[in-house]
Amino acid sequence: GENVEQHPSTLSVQEGDSAVIKCTYSDSASNYFPWYKQELGKRPQLIIDIRSNVGEKKDQRIAVTLNKTAKHFSLHITETQPEDSAVYFCAASIIAGAGSYQLTFGKGTKLSVIP
Amino acid sequence: NAGVTQTPKFQVLKTGQSMTLQCAQDMNHNSMYWYRQDPGMGLRLIYYSASEGTTDKGEVPNGYNVSRLNKREFSLRLESAAPSQTSVYFCASRRSGQLKNIQYFGAGTRLSVL
């Protein structure tokens, strides 16, 4: 089955700096890669996703890049703010026609933004 | 819309006791999922249901059973709780027909087994 590795497990940045979280996946058939943000005591929520036919996607201060050849993808957060402090999870999935799709999650990165 | 609703929010059990975690969604989603979250382990899939009437094992199904009662409800049962099942449990749902796998999570159930 799919295996997703996520690094680093913890990350501290100064407010205003950029943060980068990296993930690798093992199954070359995976073609959908979402990122979830989980604030302390809350539920995970999708913040951005990318499909394998796209190399980069941006939404305001967050962006995701995908390298299919190397089987890795990254989350980039620019101009970090204290409210960006949370645990971030990457995930991988295979989307192929109809069906129910499983998400395989990385183990998470705890991001702390220091004011 | 309430989204995905889980009950209870907190539960303490003694080893060997049984309980059922309830999950309901009002988004007319076909697929539903149960995960457990442990520190440093991310979210691990226990069971999922592609549609009403079907269930399948995920990564960590041992010690659990599920029931897809109808399209809205998907319950998780612990028949004989063990301390290793102390965890936060999340239910999620997904709308079929999209070329993505966007899952919407409930608020979670924090379970302690003593």
Side-chain angles (χ1 to χ4, degrees):
Chain A
E2 175 67 281
N3 182 51
V4 177
E5 300 280 346
Q6 183 171 347
H7 299 280
S9 56
T10 60
L11 179 61
S12 291
V13 299
Q14 291 292 134
E15 182 177 357
D17 286 350
S18 295
V20 181
I21 303 170
K22 299 181 179 181
C23 290
T24 60
Y25 61 98
S26 62
D27 191 340
S28 57
S30 290
N31 56 5
Y32 174 70
F33 307 93
W35 286 87
Y36 284 78
K37 176 183 180 182
Q38 185 180 28
E39 296 176 355
L40 187 63
K42 300 292 180 65
R43 71 193 77 191
Q45 292 190 297
L46 179 75
I47 55 171
I48 195 168
D49 57 8
I50 191 168
R51 293 169 59 184
S52 60
N53 59 347
V54 175
E56 183 174 0
K57 183 177 179 181
K58 189 173 182 180
D59 183 3
Q60 299 184 333
R61 295 187 298 107
I62 61 173
V64 57
T65 59
L66 171 66
N67 183 326
K68 284 191 299 183
T69 303
K71 289 191 283 189
H72 68 69
F73 56 111
S74 301
L75 178 71
H76 304 254
I77 306 174
T78 59
E79 301 173 18
T80 53
Q81 301 169 3
E83 52 264 39
D84 294 328
S85 296
V87 178
Y88 292 81
F89 293 97
C90 62
S93 182
I94 300 172
I95 307 295
S100 179
Y101 308 123
Q102 298 181 45
L103 282 174
T104 301
F105 285 89
K107 293 183 178 180
T109 297
K110 183 177 181 181
L111 173 64
S112 299
V113 180
I114 304 163
Chain B
N1 283 352
V4 180
T5 303
Q6 290 183 235
T7 56
K9 288 185 168 51
F10 302 94
Q11 184 71 48
V12 178
L13 292 178
K14 294 181 180 178
T15 297
Q17 287 185 317
S18 62
M19 79 160 294
T20 300
L21 281 65
Q22 307 286 353
C23 175
Q25 51 89 11
D26 62 1
M27 297 178 284
N28 201 34
H29 288 176
N30 289 324
S31 301
M32 298 184 73
Y33 305 81
W34 275 106
Y35 294 91
R36 62 176 289 172
Q37 184 176 33
D38 303 293
M41 296 298 292
L43 292 149
R44 293 183 292 169
L45 183 64
I46 305 171
Y47 270 94
Y48 67 101
S49 171
S51 60
E52 185 178 353
T54 69
T55 60
D56 285 289
K57 295 178 180 180
E59 180 186 354
V60 289
N62 291 345
Y64 305 95
N65 285 300
V66 290
S67 295
R68 184 72 184 269
L69 304 170
N70 47 56
K71 190 171 186 179
R72 290 187 63 247
E73 299 172 288
F74 187 38
S75 62
L76 178 72
R77 183 160 179 84
L78 288 69
E79 289 291 351
S80 179
S84 60
Q85 294 178 304
T86 293
S87 188
V88 180
Y89 292 85
F90 286 99
C91 176
S93 69
R94 171 188 172 270
R95 179 172 59 87
S96 297
Q98 54 179 320
L99 296 178
K100 293 188 175 187
N101 189 355
I102 300 174
Q103 295 188 13
Y104 300 85
F105 286 81
T109 295
R110 188 174 295 274
L111 176 66
S112 294
V113 183
L114 306 177

